[in-house]
Structures are given as structure tokens and as C-alpha cells.
Amino acid sequence: MKYIKKLTLLLLLMGCNTEDDPLTTGTTVNSEWLIPTSQVFDVVGKDAIPALENPEMSKIDGANLEFMDDSDLVLVYESGGEVRAYAHPVLDWHEIINDQIGDDYVAITYCPLTGTGIGWGREINGSITTFGVSGFLYETNLMPYDRLTNSYWNQMFNQCVNGFLIRETPEFFNLVQMNYAALKDLYPNALITSNNTGHIRNYNTYPYDNYRTDSEILFPISRSDTRLHPKALVRGVEINGSAKAYPFPNSNKRELIIDEFNGKEIIVVADEAKGFMVSFLNREIESTPLVFNLIDEENSNLILEDQLGNKWDLFGKAVEGPNAGSQLEVPYSYIGYWFAWATFYPNVTLYELE
Amino acid sequence: MPRALLFSLILFPAQLIAQCCSGGVPMSNNIGLPGADKGILQVNLTYDWNNLQNLKTESSSLNDNSRQRETHSFLLELGYSISDRLSIDLFIPMIRQERTIISTLGNVDFDKTQGLGDIVILPKYSLTDKIIIGAGIKIPTGHSDRTDDGLTLVADLQPGSGALDGVFYFAYSNYLTSRPSLGYFGNIIFRATGENDSYLGSSTYQFGNELQLIAGIADRFLVSKLQIDPSLKVRYREAGRDSFDQSEFPNSGGSFVFINPGISIVVSQALSWQINTSIPVHTFVDGTQLAPTLQINTGLLFRLNLKQKEFEL
């Protein structure tokens, strides 16, 4: 029986090595979190989803765009007259694109699980950083990390939630989401991310099956709201910490919504066929509140006309008229799945469509 | 050919418990110890290393070596023959799961969990000298809520599954009458998975059911009075898709074919040493997943007659 005893001892020794390692017992490197860590899950590991840095851009209908369908969505950023589009089929696989347009250092952050695309400034406290994908999810939403300090951020929480830069808020860069067909019509001179990313991925395949349209949510969230289908796309607008969500109107034509929320007049223009919905705060020019009418021209990126004769584009810039060059303020707002807005803003107001 | 030898050919690289990407580990490559006479206690001590480094979309490699998963398993398998036909196996794993990611900037991210895995109890019955059947359970003794830096890790990085599974086992073996030392054999192993109902708090997670079909041959040679048993096996493994809160989980499940060359050296009647490798020759993963690259398994098998007071190794 002495050999049985030896075997038993060997097994016990193996067991001793495995249970007491502090790395497996949940010590926290940075103890303070602004979000409950019980809702933060380490899903794939840091950089398992590789963010892109200054990726190659193609002209519309240029090279390496065979993977794009007209119905694919893109996130469009405009700066100094240059328009760049970041394709969902690329972002589905990379989630963050660090780019520079002129003097704008921007990170295109996109979470495929919440459907949210938000532009973040990459200049934090005077230093230029890049963001990577931490592999964590909070409320099933993307958590970037910045590579200068390794601090963790949450996209929809819109703040650094753990680490050296805790409580820092990134600068908001307005992105306009639309489909590829609309991009070709409205911004034919835009540049767009190609499939020459430096990574081999199947960009013409959506990596999450039917997730965009089914009712399933892949990781736990803390609440649900059944007023809309979970994956209904809405444009959420946050004013002073409160949110209102605007669903796409049940219409195939361009729609103008003028609404009041938290003391602000919100201008929303939606065009489901082109996949865009934008929002602005109304403003006065020379003490005159603007009154808008919709411009509904098929191949024009001008969407609003005011009583002064100004014509405003999708980014809220007056490009024609006496006040050309003026800008409408874009509130903190972006398109995402309804369930995500309802999770992050439990008291979100839902705009009632007529 | 002695029955014990025949069934020893069926002993496969072991990974009963650890869960991994569906290309990886899951269970039961080698579930089921060789058949033995009444009163024999078999003790199989095994170390298994499973490496996944090949990122694939379906069957296409993405030529991306930035991600690596390794599973180190220390396995103790005890088998006792209650009678000449009835035996029971107990399988106790210690699992260490490692995940390494090298970013495009060269930064390395390393995470690991380790601990007791899920224990399997498998009663087996010899229908004939050539056929053994078994049915057992995998008990969720392993942790399925391990954390890293305080954050809960996902299911396939946990040492345990958190679920009670059913395990079904069939083994057939025979030998050529023209060459009795040359045996051939086949295994069917099926795991019907249960549901972890406390995954990431209050959600449910269920690994996909798993089927393995194994066929192989082995022979015996004498080299300087040492008995050497080389073997070659083909293993087909099919893993169903996992589910989260009763919905299918993307990028899980797949089918795989492995070639398993191995060798066993019989040191004495009571002790043998074996080493096996598992080389993937066909992989089809659902969606995009890390797929198996190489698995190596080595171990010692002790056969102890409890009716005797001393054992000669």
C-alpha cells in the first residue's frame, strides 16, 4: 500500500499549488471603479480584438471595398471639409479605430453588442493617446482602455471608470451613421475604411449571427425595457444627465421632428431608407430663434432650411445662405440599440411616434 | 491478446473536464480505463497540455498568431474492478487555463485560472471481452466563477463548467487472428451537457453537447525485453453550439478531426508509461474561434491488485 500513499501525496501536492494563487482569487489592481464590477466581465482579453491605427482609406467604390453592401452601415466624420467613413463591417471586427483627420485626433469607438458608435477625442490632459479594446464588457457594452495609462473606460458611460484617468471624460466627436448607399449619394468624395487593415478577417460576414435583429443579448444586463424591440435602433439624446430616445419613424420618407426635452428644443431629422438620424439643439441667430423646414432631396446632404434662407447639412453646418459657416450644436447623442439606452438610462423617455 | 492489453490501447490523451473554446479541450478524449480483472485498482496519473493558437473562420486560417490558449491538466483517474465485468472509474482533474494575447504593438496580456475541475464518475460494464459500455455523470466540482483582477472571466476560461453533465461511453476492441499483437479498436463518447444556472451571476450557460468517435490500431513489440505499444488513432470530435440564457451563443461549436500517434511502454505488469499527441488535420469552427494546434499527453498507469499486500512495480 506504500505506493498508494505516494500517489495520494502526489495528488495532494498538485492540489496545493492550484487553489491559493492570489491571481485567481480576485484581487483588484486599481480598487476604485465608478461602475459595479459585478457587471463587468472579462470576455475575450485585452487586445484579442485588435483596434486599428490610421487604417488605409479608399475612395468610394475604390479598391478593397468588395465586402461592402449598399445596406451596410458606416459612421461618418467630417472635419475641415474632409469626410471619412468607418464601415460597420470593419468595426464589427475591430471595434475601435484610432485616426487623425487634420488636427483632430479621434477614436471611432463602436460596440457591436449595443450598436453604439461614438467619436472620442484622443487628446487627454494635453497628451495624445490611442484606445484599445480591453476585452471587458459593462452592461454588454464596449470598454476601451487608453494605451498611455492603461486606464479602463466605458463607451456609453462615457468616462474613465478605473485607473489613473478615472473620472476623465473624453471629448465628444459627432459621427453620422448612414448606409453605404447613402454615403455614395451624399458624400461621393468621402474616404472609407477598406479591408486592407493589416488583419485577415472575414469582413463580408457579420460575426454575431442574427444578433442585429433577434431579441437576444449576449451578456448579462441589469435591466430590460420592453417598450421597443431590444434591437430597435434609436437615437438617444442626453441633456443634463437625462436621456430621450427617438426611434426611426415608421415611414419611408425623410422626417423632421421638433421636440422639447429638458428645456431644450431638439431638432431630429431621420431618413430610414438612408439609415441616418441626426439631432441638434436649436439656436438663435441675431436673437431670432430658427424655424426649420425639411429639405428632402434624394442626393443632397442638405437636410434643413431655416426662415433666414440658410441650408444646413447632416453635420449641422450652414453651407448656404446668409449665415453660411454657422454651426448647430450637436447634443451628446448617438444611435444605438434601444435596450442599451434603456439599460444605461433607466428613466429614458421614449419619443412617441405619431 | 489479453483483454487488459486490448483495452489499454483505448487509453487516450485525457482532458475530461476543462472547458475551452470549442476547438479545445472539453471532455473525454480518454474516458474509460482499460478493463481489468476483479479486485484490480488502476491508477492513471496524467499530464496533458493543449494548445490553441490558430485563429480560424470556419475552416480558413486567419494567419493570426496573436492569441494563444493553453490548458494544463493534471489528471488522476482511479478505476476499480468490482467484478470481472463491472468496474467504476473516478476522474479527478486539476486544471490550469492560460490565455495570452500579444497586441499589434507588442504588449502581452496574460490571464490564468486554476483549480479543481469537474469530477467524473463512470460505471462501466463489459458486455463481452470486446465490448464495454458505460454511463456516468460529470459533477460540477470545479469553479466556474473565477475572476481576474476582480472581474469574472467567461465560461471557457473556467476550470469547471458549473453544470451536471451526463457521460455515455462505448468501447470496442479486437485483434487480428493472423497477428494477435495487432489490435484495433473504436470508442464512442457522448457528453450530454447540463446548464450552469449561475453564470456571471444569474444567467445560464450551457456548453454544447459533445460527440467523439475514435478508431485506431496498436501493436506490440519487444525491444530489449521492453514491451512497446505504438498506436495510431483517428478522432472525430463534434461540439454543439453553446447557449447563453437559452439562446445559441455565436462563435461556439465546431467539428474536428485529429490524428493521434502515441506510444506506450509497459515497464511491468503493474506499470506502464504512455505519451500521445493529438494533431488536428481538419477543423471547422462555427464563426471565428481559436482552434486546436497541438495536444500532448503523457502519464503513468499503475495496476494494483488489492488482494495482494505488496505490489511490484
Side-chain angles (χ1 to χ4, degrees), chain A residues 199-246:
Chain A
H199 301 267
I200 299 175
R201 294 293 187 274
N202 196 3
Y203 293 114
N204 56 6
T205 300
Y206 176 68
Y208 301 102
D209 291 347
N210 301 316
Y211 182 81
R212 285 178 291 200
T213 53
D214 66 21
S215 300
E216 311 306 334
I217 296 163
L218 288 183
F219 291 92
I221 56 174
S222 58
R223 59 182 70 86
S224 64
D225 189 319
T226 58
R227 283 178 286 174
L228 288 178
H229 186 282
K231 305 292 175 56
L233 286 177
V234 300
R235 185 167 186 101
V237 177
E238 182 195 300
I239 305 288
N240 298 326
S242 298
K244 188 162 188 174
Y246 297 86

Side-chain angles (χ1 to χ4, degrees), chain B residues 116-159:
Chain B
L116 177 67
D118 292 348
I119 289 174
V120 172
I121 300 172
L122 179 68
K124 297 183 303 182
Y125 185 77
S126 296
L127 291 176
T128 70
D129 280 354
K130 297 181 177 60
I131 296 175
I132 296 177
I133 58 171
I137 54 172
K138 183 175 72 64
I139 306 166
T141 48
H143 282 278
S144 59
D145 56 357
R146 291 292 201 197
T147 60
D148 180 61
D149 287 344
L151 306 181
T152 306
L153 293 158
V154 288
D156 68 2
L157 255 181
Q158 299 289 345

Side-chain angles (χ1 to χ4, degrees), chain B residues 52-69:
Chain B
L52 293 83
Q53 201 170 4
N54 192 355
L55 191 63
K56 287 198 164 194
T57 293
E58 298 183 342
S59 57
S60 302
S61 176
L62 301 184
N63 294 323
D64 184 333
N65 293 322
S66 63
R67 297 161 66 176
Q68 183 179 21
R69 289 287 304 273

Side-chain angles (χ1 to χ4, degrees), chain A residues 293-353:
Chain A
N293 287 308
L294 190 66
I295 298 175
D296 191 3
E297 296 176 3
E298 181 67 17
N299 293 324
S300 171
N301 56 43
L302 302 178
I303 54 170
L304 292 169
E305 183 174 17
D306 64 37
Q307 77 276 27
L308 304 177
N310 299 303
K311 292 186 176 180
W312 305 79
D313 71 6
L314 273 168
F315 292 94
K317 181 181 290 182
V319 293
E320 294 179 19
N323 302 104
S326 297
Q327 177 72 47
L328 294 175
E329 183 182 349
V330 178
Y332 182 70
S333 57
Y334 50 88
I335 289 177
Y337 294 133
W338 162 247
F339 86 83
W341 274 96
T343 298
F344 275 83
Y345 297 89
N347 299 316
V348 62
T349 303
L350 178 62
Y351 178 79
E352 297 291 339
L353 296 171

Side-chain angles (χ1 to χ4, degrees), chain A residues 145-164:
Chain A
Y145 76 96
D146 73 87
R147 294 197 173 108
L148 275 185
T149 70
N150 271 319
S151 299
Y152 294 111
W153 305 63
N154 179 244
Q155 189 206 33
M156 290 190 71
F157 201 76
N158 193 42
Q159 203 166 32
C160 179
V161 295
N162 173 259
F164 183 77

Side-chain angles (χ1 to χ4, degrees), chain A residues 1-4 7 10-11 14-21 23-29 33 37-51 53 93 130 134 136 145 147 152 199-202 207-209 211 216-220, chain B residues 41 43 45 55 57 61-64 67 74-76 92 94 96 99 101 103-105 107 109 111-116 143 146-154 199-200 203 241 244-245 247-251 286 288 302 304 306 309-311 313:
Chain A
M1 295 297 287
K2 59 184 178 183
Y3 296 108
I4 294 178
L7 291 172
L10 180 58
L11 178 69
M14 292 196 305
C16 286
N17 284 334
T18 56
E19 291 288 357
D20 298 324
D21 192 320
L23 285 178
T24 65
T25 55
T27 54
T28 304
V29 173
W33 286 78
T37 53
S38 61
Q39 285 300 115
V40 181
F41 305 120
D42 183 345
V43 175
V44 292
K46 186 181 283 186
D47 292 317
I49 297 172
E53 324 296 327
W93 293 91
T130 59
S134 72
F136 301 165
Y145 76 96
R147 294 197 173 108
Y152 294 111
H199 301 267
I200 299 175
R201 294 293 187 274
N202 196 3
Y208 301 102
D209 291 347
Y211 182 81
E216 311 306 334
I217 296 163
L218 288 183
F219 291 92
Chain B
L41 173 67
V43 180
L45 277 174
L55 191 63
T57 293
S61 176
L62 301 184
N63 294 323
D64 184 333
R67 297 161 66 176
F74 297 93
L75 309 158
L76 171 65
I92 305 169
M94 305 298 297
R96 177 185 168 96
R99 180 180 69 191
I101 301 165
S103 76
T104 51
L105 302 178
N107 300 321
D109 183 61
D111 295 299
K112 68 178 170 67
T113 63
Q114 53 192 22
L116 177 67
H143 282 278
R146 291 292 201 197
T147 60
D148 180 61
D149 287 344
L151 306 181
T152 306
L153 293 158
V154 288
Y199 178 63
L200 300 179
S203 295
R241 299 186 73 177
F244 173 80
D245 281 345
S247 298
E248 284 195 342
F249 199 75
N251 304 310
D286 182 277
T288 299
F302 300 86
L304 311 171
L306 297 187
K309 292 186 179 178
E310 294 292 335
F311 306 104
L313 293 182

